[in-house]
Amino acid sequence: MLTDPPTTADSTPAPDRPVRVLIVDDDPFTREPVATILSLRPEIEVIGAVDGGAAAVAFVRHTRPDIVLMDLQMPGMDGIEATRQVLAEVKTRVVALTTMVDLDTVLRVFDAGGDGYILKGDGPVKLVDDVLAAARGDAILPPRYARAVIERSTSVGGSDQRREALARLDLLTERERATARLVATGGTNAEIAAAMHVSESTMKTHLTQALAKLGLDNRMQLGILIDRAGETPPPAP
């Protein structure tokens, strides 16, 4: 039986404890197998599995999970609104868990503050890998959508939008801005740290500070801002 764990002060997983995951899905034939798959891994602790958005909002107030896997199509409060309300309650990472793959839905997930997108049909190995990657702070999005999300979000606004983006980026230090540029390429924490010749913990500090200064929720929003400013590095040859 899944029970409520003690409340924690921070949703970021410590190196010596498992990633604490809440599953939100109204379908028990998805909810229960996902819980079983994740529970088999010692580095993951499933702290709850609830059947709706309102239940998720109530649950996170007392448990502060590291990751919330959020179905999008649920009766009552849908996953998009639940994502907004969860993030208004606690600092956590919300990853959509769904069969919906259209670009408009992906954009709505990120607009609500979501950190990624896991397809239900991807299989157990990828599910586990994506949960652990999300816990590390990596962006979770099928590659075919990443560039499309940024392009759709930067397709209007022209020079005024670019000037505004550049002015916001001026709030960052040189290292924070360099980190932001590399985040926009879609690299993992390890890849970005290697490119900057720093440790992953130092890179994550730069990223956290950049997001806080810019008032952004996640890496995708940061990538969109960098692209609007025209500072996305060119693809590696």
Side-chain angles (χ1 to χ4, degrees), residues 6 8 38 50 107 136 143 156 167 178 198 222:
T8 60
L38 295 179
V50 299
L107 287 167
R136 292 192 300 268
V156 295
V198 298
L222 182 58

Side-chain angles (χ1 to χ4, degrees), residues 26-232:
D26 63 307
D27 182 0
F29 293 102
T30 296
R31 192 171 64 243
E32 293 169 9
V34 168
T36 299
I37 290 166
L38 295 179
S39 296
L40 292 173
R41 295 294 292 263
E43 62 267 60
I44 297 174
E45 177 187 2
V46 177
I47 65 169
V50 299
D51 62 1
V57 175
F59 193 92
V60 301
R61 289 190 186 115
H62 306 291
T63 58
R64 298 181 180 271
D66 303 314
I67 302 292
V68 178
L69 296 181
M70 181 75 73
D71 185 31
L72 297 183
Q73 289 185 306
M74 296 182 289
M77 185 187 299
D78 68 14
I80 299 294
E81 180 58 27
T83 295
R84 291 192 184 95
Q85 294 199 24
V86 162
L87 293 173
E89 293 286 343
V90 297
K91 180 176 175 58
T92 186
R93 296 185 175 100
V94 180
V95 179
L97 177 65
T98 184
T99 57
M100 299 174 64
V101 295
D102 62 284
L103 180 57
D104 286 338
T105 302
V106 173
L107 287 167
R108 291 176 64 214
V109 168
F110 284 105
D111 285 344
D115 282 280
Y117 202 95
I118 296 175
L119 300 179
K120 291 181 179 180
D122 278 346
V125 173
K126 191 168 191 310
L127 170 65
V128 170
D129 288 347
D130 283 348
V131 167
L132 294 176
R136 292 192 300 268
D138 292 339
I140 307 301
L141 184 66
R144 64 185 179 277
Y145 291 114
R147 191 67 229 166
V149 168
I150 291 176
E151 288 176 353
R152 175 77 70 88
S153 299
T154 59
S155 60
V156 295
S159 59
D160 288 344
Q161 187 182 70
R162 184 170 186 271
R163 281 193 295 271
E164 180 184 348
L166 286 167
R168 292 180 67 187
L169 291 174
D170 284 343
L171 296 171
L172 306 183
T173 66
E174 182 179 343
R175 297 298 277 175
E176 290 163 357
R177 195 159 178 162
T179 302
R181 291 189 189 105
L182 290 170
V183 165
T185 68
T188 65
N189 286 349
E191 291 167 344
I192 294 169
M196 296 180 67
H197 306 289
V198 298
S199 68
E200 280 193 53
S201 62
T202 298
M203 174 266 158
K204 289 169 73 173
T205 297
H206 292 321
L207 175 58
T208 299
Q209 291 172 339
L211 291 173
K213 288 181 180 179
L214 296 169
L216 301 177
D217 294 316
N218 56 52
R219 300 162 75 107
M220 185 57 69
Q221 292 174 349
L222 182 58
I224 289 168
L225 183 65
I226 288 290
D227 209 62
R228 284 176 176 167
E231 293 196 5
T232 303

